[in-house]
Amino acid sequence: MSSGIFYEWFLPGVWITIQVTVYSAALAGLVAFVVGIARTHRLWIVRFVSGTYFEVFRGTSALVFMLWMAFAFPLMFGWQFVPMYAGVLALGLTYGAYGSEIVRGSLQSVSAAQREAGIALSFTRGQRLRRIELPQAWPEMVPPFNNLLIELLKGTALVSVISVADMTFAAGLSRLATNESAPAYVLLLFSYFVIAFVLTRIMRAVERKAKAGIGQGGGGKGRFRGLLALKLSPEGEMRQAKTGTAGGQG
């Protein structure tokens, strides 16, 4: 691969791949939490709608959905997506469905005693999620989210099919221009590996911080060493104060 092709085609393609990955991951994360939490809702209609979304997007091809967004959607509704946005939507909605199963499973792994303690303290569903369930479930989500993020990165190669000039598209152009396949695709493999390695290092740091936040693996003070160790409410603070006073008097 000549230096001109590298700087004019491949490097801009790397930047586009990073953009597609970041935008798709942000959308997938939002969808994962919304759908995953909805799948644990007490109302059956909410569970049914969110479960239907999960099953539909898990059972369809991201590539076919991307092609539909790019080519069929404009014919049906008269509105054309920018190719990059079509790719981001297809990847974000598809991988968000996979992520929702991670969120649902992690939330359900929180012990029932913790949820019951929140109910006993008259917490609303939102307060229980924010103060009890999500902080404890988050460390369990990070490792599978890391794997899903790497799969999403590799899935961004699909956007080249709808003419988004990512690094896979650039490698194909280089092969056609120089009639040399090996240099272009070896560089492409190496580039995906480097980006994936960087993302993995970032997610490992997030995982360590998440575990330290609940008192695992860091040796520091965790936010969750049991629900009763937390100052979750004014009533809890008063009980802790009384207990401390009584202990001092004894």
Side-chain angles (χ1 to χ4, degrees), residues 31-102:
V31 170
F33 276 94
V34 171
V35 176
I37 292 173
R39 292 181 65 202
T40 66
H41 202 275
R42 62 184 180 84
L43 295 178
W44 73 268
I45 186 63
V46 178
R47 295 196 305 272
F48 175 78
V49 172
S50 57
T52 300
Y53 173 89
F54 168 72
E55 294 295 342
V56 168
F57 279 89
R58 185 180 65 167
T60 55
S61 167
L63 175 59
V64 174
F65 184 55
M66 193 179 298
L67 293 171
W68 183 86
M69 294 283 288
F71 303 119
F73 186 88
L75 296 177
M76 296 173 62
F77 300 100
W79 195 62
Q80 180 74 50
F81 278 109
V82 175
M84 183 174 175
Y85 294 163
V88 167
L89 280 173
L91 292 171
L93 294 176
T94 301
Y95 283 88
Y98 300 147
S100 70
E101 182 68 4
I102 297 173

Side-chain angles (χ1 to χ4, degrees), residues 131-148:
R131 296 187 174 189
I132 301 174
E133 297 178 33
L134 282 175
Q136 295 184 74
W138 173 239
E140 302 297 325
M141 299 180 195
V142 177
F145 271 151
N146 183 17
N147 292 333
L148 193 62

